[in-house]
Amino acid sequence: IPAGAGLIPAANITPRDKTANTSTTLLSASTTLTLLNVPAKRNLEISGFIGRLSAPSELNLRFNGDTANNYTGNITLNSGTRSNYANNPTCNLTSTPIQATSTLHGTIINTTSSPKVFYMGVVSATSSATVASFTEGNCIWHNGTSRITSIELSWGGTITAPAESYLTLYASDD
């Protein structure tokens, strides 16, 4: 194979538009972060930052305010043992309660067919940690044919995340 064969010249690549469609930032401590008015697009990408929680808690995601047991998935901590869950009221983003600063990144297939499929990764670290923990996993939302119109990130009961925690959504049909 000749050198450079099969490569696409940079001039022929069109970069994907990464303009945020919607974003929300906490102005004060809160028990949830919610993105409203999610565009009716096929591909959703969410990124977020969650400051150190007021107490240990799991991170959870919910779509369209659905509190029924419509979520199934699995998560793996630090490439170790996989934890499965079924008939859950949320998508679990962490396998054990944490009290750390975390970043979140995930992609969602948001079609009108059921189910919705979500893949994510969460990196968390305490202020004294020498190595961050990495949780990866997937979640299936069995909701019928509704598109996702809101995304809620929560961390349990009265536990709060600090101001400046945020979620940002990118949406496209490509």
Side-chain angles (χ1 to χ4, degrees):
I1 299 175
L7 299 177
I8 300 172
N12 296 343
I13 298 174
T14 304
R16 186 170 157 216
D17 181 13
K18 280 286 271 192
T19 304
N21 293 87
T22 187
S23 184
T24 188
T25 301
L26 294 180
L27 300 177
S28 61
S30 180
T31 58
T32 61
L33 250 171
T34 304
L35 285 169
L36 300 172
N37 304 316
V38 172
K41 300 287 187 176
R42 182 175 52 241
N43 302 304
L44 304 179
E45 183 179 334
I46 59 172
S47 293
F49 165 79
I50 302 94
R52 189 171 195 270
L53 300 176
S54 62
S57 180
E58 293 181 355
L59 298 177
N60 301 295
L61 208 63
R62 180 174 286 135
F63 303 117
N64 293 6
D66 184 359
T67 59
N69 292 329
N70 290 329
Y71 303 88
T72 302
N74 66 64
I75 46 182
T76 304
L77 178 62
N78 296 327
S79 300
T81 305
R82 184 174 66 202
S83 301
N84 298 310
Y85 60 91
N87 303 317
N88 218 41
T90 61
C91 281
N92 294 347
L93 302 183
T94 53
S95 57
T96 58
I98 61 169
Q99 187 175 11
T101 299
S102 303
T103 60
L104 158 73
H105 186 83
T107 56
I108 306 165
I109 305 302
N110 189 30
T111 62
T112 55
S113 64
S114 181
K116 306 299 177 283
V117 178
F118 174 59
Y119 172 79
M120 62 81 198
V122 176
V123 177
S124 302
T126 61
S127 58
S128 61
T130 55
V131 176
S133 67
F134 176 65
T135 304
E136 63 182 334
N138 63 66
C139 179
I140 299 171
W141 180 40
H142 306 277
N143 75 315
T145 58
S146 299
R147 282 191 186 248
I148 294 170
T149 58
S150 68
I151 300 170
E152 177 188 275
L153 178 63
S154 64
W155 31 84
T158 59
I159 296 169
T160 59
E164 298 184 10
S165 298
Y166 68 86
L167 276 178
T168 301
L169 175 81
Y170 306 91
S172 71
D173 280 326
D174 57 332

